[in-house]
Amino acid sequence: RKFCIEVVVVCNIAIFLIFYSFCAPLCYEPDAFYGQTVSYIFPFSPVTYFLKKCQYLSFKESIRTFGASVNNFSETNKGDFFMTTLYIGNHTSSSKGYTAMAKQMIANGGNTFAFFTRNPRGGKAKAIDEKDIHKFLELAESYHFGKIVAHAPYTLNACAAKENLRDFARETFADDLRRMEYIPGNYYNFHPGSHVGQGAETGIQKIAEILNDVFTEGQTTTVLLETMSGKGSEVGRNFEELREIIDLVHMNDKIGVCLDTCHVWDGGYDIVNDLDGVLDEFDHIIGLDKLKAVHLNDSLNDLGSHKDRHARIGEGKIGLDALVRVIRHPKLKEIPFILETPNDDEGWTKEISLLREAYSR
Ligand code: FE
Ligand code: FE
Ligand code: ZN
């Protein structure tokens, strides 16, 4: 009787093996039905793992064969794969409206962009053109745009010593956030400010105070603090200062960070030799869930120079390889990468195609 049980067990194993070896070749097809079925019935078996690996590899192969330039895919720690999209674009002129910006970006090969909400020196914003916005939203949807990143005028200083300058910053932020609701769910990025001798702590308090004044309950825009290079008396020269601002903001889910590669490099974060270390540090101090956008720039100056002078991709001290590692980093998937390099549209088109090619390689 014991012998009988052994025979049954051995036979069962044999049937399984035959079944699997029959299934395995079928699973070289990306959407292999058998592979899926087997993995549902035996989710934890090594054979399922093998089959998934086959699917994964064949998928990778077909992506390579078809030369997909936009999409890439990643493997989760469970061995599943998923498609990811590189969202990349450049800072572009807003003078002709949203539709014109989107059209320019499509011509440049981009699927996100940044723009100044008004004259960078802080003038009056143009009247809202609802027809233009409607057309833009349609275009952005059909071309699968990622989130776009509006930029506040860089002359605003939320922590100025003079109250009238702070009032101006407060009013402009509030007006911009109202206007951003016409394109709901996107990002609004600003330079935290310069404490002009009042000390970083006072600066941090004043910046948070203005954010608390202008944030509203129904706001769908996430406001992003930009990492700064630390020139002059800039606040936001390191991750700790940004964390302190974020901690003082009451509507915490409405604030995030935009990491500028040139600024962090000039600020002393070695993204060339230790990108993982810098991102770990960001994660420990701020939390990577707060990292919503990246300004992708090369730098004319050395690590820790506190200068802030952007260079074209691959023409500065950071270099192409390090910047490609940034866009390919698994912890930075699916966030918008914005070029603020000294270029015209022809130059940005070249940079975007160079980076897309490097991304899908
Ligand atoms: Fe900026
Ligand atoms: Fe920037
Ligand atoms: Zn800069």
Side-chain angles (χ1 to χ4, degrees):
R1 186 160 163 194
K2 202 180 153 205
F3 175 74
C4 262
I5 291 171
E6 276 168 10
V7 168
V8 168
V9 167
V10 168
C11 282
N12 267 322
I13 292 172
I15 288 166
F16 272 130
L17 288 176
I18 291 162
F19 181 62
Y20 281 142
S21 57
F22 177 71
C23 285
L26 291 168
C27 294
Y28 282 96
E29 209 57 52
D31 296 308
F33 172 72
Y34 284 100
Q36 298 289 350
T37 313
V38 167
S39 65
Y40 281 125
I41 302 171
F42 310 105
F44 303 113
S45 86
V47 180
T48 304
Y49 179 78
F50 170 73
L51 293 181
K52 280 198 167 173
K53 219 52 201 175
C54 289
Q55 281 183 310
Y56 177 74
L57 291 175
S58 76
F59 204 49
K60 197 169 184 172
E61 202 48 55
S62 59
I63 292 281
R64 239 184 242 142
T65 317
F66 296 121
S69 60
V70 175
N71 292 315
N72 204 334
F73 63 98
S74 294
E75 196 176 3
T76 66
N77 49 11
K78 285 180 190 153
D80 295 325
F81 49 81
F82 60 94
M83 302 294 290
T84 58
T85 301
L86 174 63
Y87 292 109
I88 190 163
N90 57 268
H91 187 110
T92 190
S93 165
S94 57
S95 62
K96 289 181 187 141
Y98 285 102
T99 310
M101 289 194 277
K103 282 184 176 164
Q104 185 62 58
M105 222 36 56
I106 293 161
N108 291 5
N111 50 0
T112 177
F113 58 91
F115 61 99
F116 285 123
T117 51
R118 58 189 74 212
N119 184 308
R121 302 217 159 265
K124 227 178 143 236
K126 287 203 310 175
I128 291 281
D129 178 350
E130 293 201 37
K131 239 169 137 185
D132 171 50
I133 287 181
H134 185 75
K135 241 169 117 186
F136 160 71
L137 291 173
E138 273 180 5
L139 212 53
E141 201 190 322
S142 56
Y143 281 85
H144 305 289
F145 271 47
K147 287 186 190 289
I148 60 172
V149 192
H151 198 306
Y154 50 73
T155 44
L156 297 183
N157 189 3
C159 58
K162 292 182 185 155
E163 274 312 304
N164 62 327
L165 293 179
R166 291 188 68 225
D167 289 342
F168 179 59
R170 187 185 286 108
E171 281 158 27
T172 308
F173 284 155
D175 187 41
D176 277 351
L177 286 176
R178 256 191 312 271
R179 296 162 59 88
M180 286 295 289
E181 288 305 317
Y182 284 90
I183 47 162
N186 286 296
Y187 297 139
Y188 178 70
N189 147 241
F190 78 106
H191 295 181
S194 293
H195 65 69
V196 289
Q198 305 166 92
E201 282 312 312
T202 306
I204 287 163
Q205 299 281 342
K206 287 187 166 184
I207 293 160
E209 186 194 285
I210 284 197
L211 291 175
N212 285 327
D213 287 345
V214 300
F215 279 17
T216 55
E217 211 48 78
Q219 167 189 331
T220 63
T221 304
T222 306
V223 175
L224 308 182
L225 300 160
E226 184 163 344
T227 59
M228 302 312 291
S229 66
K231 66 175 184 297
S233 64
E234 275 175 346
V235 178
R237 59 194 292 128
N238 55 39
F239 299 156
E240 285 82 355
E241 289 188 0
L242 296 179
R243 166 66 194 266
E244 282 186 58
I245 299 170
I246 292 170
D247 279 348
L248 292 170
V249 172
H250 304 315
M251 296 182 203
N252 207 265
D253 57 322
K254 294 177 172 50
I255 188 131
V257 172
C258 171
L259 184 144
D260 187 309
T261 53
C262 167
H263 297 178
V264 292
W265 167 259
D266 285 15
Y269 292 97
D270 190 354
I271 54 169
V272 173
N273 299 303
D274 189 19
L275 178 61
D276 283 320
V278 173
L279 291 179
D280 277 349
E281 195 173 337
F282 189 101
D283 199 25
H284 285 137
I285 296 167
I286 300 176
L288 277 172
D289 58 320
K290 286 278 180 219
L291 182 46
K292 305 292 188 190
V294 167
H295 286 170
L296 197 74
N297 302 309
D298 213 325
S299 171
L300 285 179
N301 293 291
D302 290 316
L303 175 69
S305 61
H306 303 294
K307 283 272 176 47
D308 185 7
R309 294 201 43 217
H310 302 190
R312 293 198 186 102
I313 303 300
E315 293 181 12
K317 297 285 169 82
I318 298 174
L320 176 64
D321 290 349
L323 292 168
V324 167
R325 285 196 291 276
V326 170
I327 60 169
R328 290 180 63 106
H329 200 285
K331 288 179 176 164
L332 304 179
K333 289 279 180 206
E334 308 259 315
I335 72 172
F337 293 97
I338 306 293
L339 299 163
E340 296 177 311
T341 47
N343 261 320
D344 51 14
D345 283 310
E346 198 188 319
W348 284 313
T349 305
K350 278 188 196 144
E351 285 185 347
I352 290 170
S353 88
L354 176 74
L355 290 163
R356 281 203 188 286
E357 208 241 306
Y359 181 78
S360 55
R361 210 180 290 145

